[in-house]
Amino acid sequence: MLANGNVLFCYRNGAKEISPDKRLVWEYRAPAEAQCHSCQPLPGGHVLVAECGMSRVIEAGRDGRIAREIKVASKAKDMGHQFRGTRRTRDGHYWICLMDEKKIVELSPSGALLQEIPVDGFPHAAIKLANGHLLVTLGSAKKVIELDRKLK
């Protein structure tokens, strides 16, 4: 739920913002070959959308146009298993859960690989906490873990 009371959510083919009276406020439609499994409102009004199949993370403007595109290297054979839980942090970095590869990657604002973090299960979300730790949900392992700065 956004501060204005609207709800932002992704669905298989894009992302939508809906008002409390169920009016469509905004929509981004992904290419037909994409599957969208996460979205995030960003400062300035853009919306981050993760597109499996297209192997990319995009930032869409309120006009529906792509303002930024970051390619994601994924070895998953099933496009629906490429990645989940994608987030951009305050420093502009991207945290992407590469599901089938059982790892989380951190990418720079330009898309350069900064680090890879192997995990014991299929990661669905990775959230950087205020103390610098990383909170990770592991779907197949049915657990949530917290990694410190040394990844312990």
Side-chain angles (χ1 to χ4, degrees):
M1 181 174 283
L2 304 174
N4 63 7
N6 293 346
V7 175
L8 175 70
F9 63 95
C10 65
Y11 63 100
R12 180 179 168 92
N13 300 108
K16 291 182 181 183
E17 180 180 340
I18 304 292
S19 68
D21 63 353
K22 299 181 183 173
R23 183 177 48 85
L24 178 64
V25 175
W26 173 85
E27 182 174 18
Y28 168 76
R29 291 187 185 207
E33 60 272 19
Q35 288 185 15
C36 301
H37 294 287
S38 66
C39 65
Q40 175 190 12
L42 299 174
H46 288 163
V47 176
L48 179 140
V49 180
E51 295 181 343
C52 293
M54 302 297 293
S55 292
R56 68 182 186 174
V57 174
I58 61 103
E59 293 181 15
R62 290 298 172 161
D63 59 2
R65 293 185 182 154
I66 296 173
R68 173 180 273 174
E69 176 182 346
I70 302 291
K71 289 304 233 177
V72 178
S74 171
K75 297 176 185 169
K77 292 185 170 110
D78 179 348
M79 82 165 161
H81 288 210
Q82 282 186 325
F83 42 90
R84 296 285 192 274
T86 301
R87 290 289 178 259
R88 191 180 90 177
T89 57
R90 289 183 186 173
D91 58 8
H93 293 187
Y94 299 90
W95 288 86
I96 301 171
C97 296
L98 294 172
M99 204 168 102
D100 274 2
E101 296 167 59
K102 296 182 180 180
K103 67 181 176 182
I104 299 156
V105 295
E106 179 184 10
L107 305 179
S108 73
S110 67
L113 178 65
L114 299 175
Q115 67 174 320
E116 290 185 358
I117 303 167
V119 291
D120 186 26
F122 298 126
H124 283 258
I127 299 170
K128 192 170 185 179
L129 303 174
N131 63 3
H133 292 189
L134 197 60
L135 191 64
V136 179
T137 61
L138 299 169
S140 59
K142 299 180 183 173
K143 62 183 175 180
V144 177
I145 60 172
E146 183 175 342
L147 301 173
D148 65 16
R149 290 176 191 262
K150 295 180 181 178
L151 304 179
K152 301 291 180 201

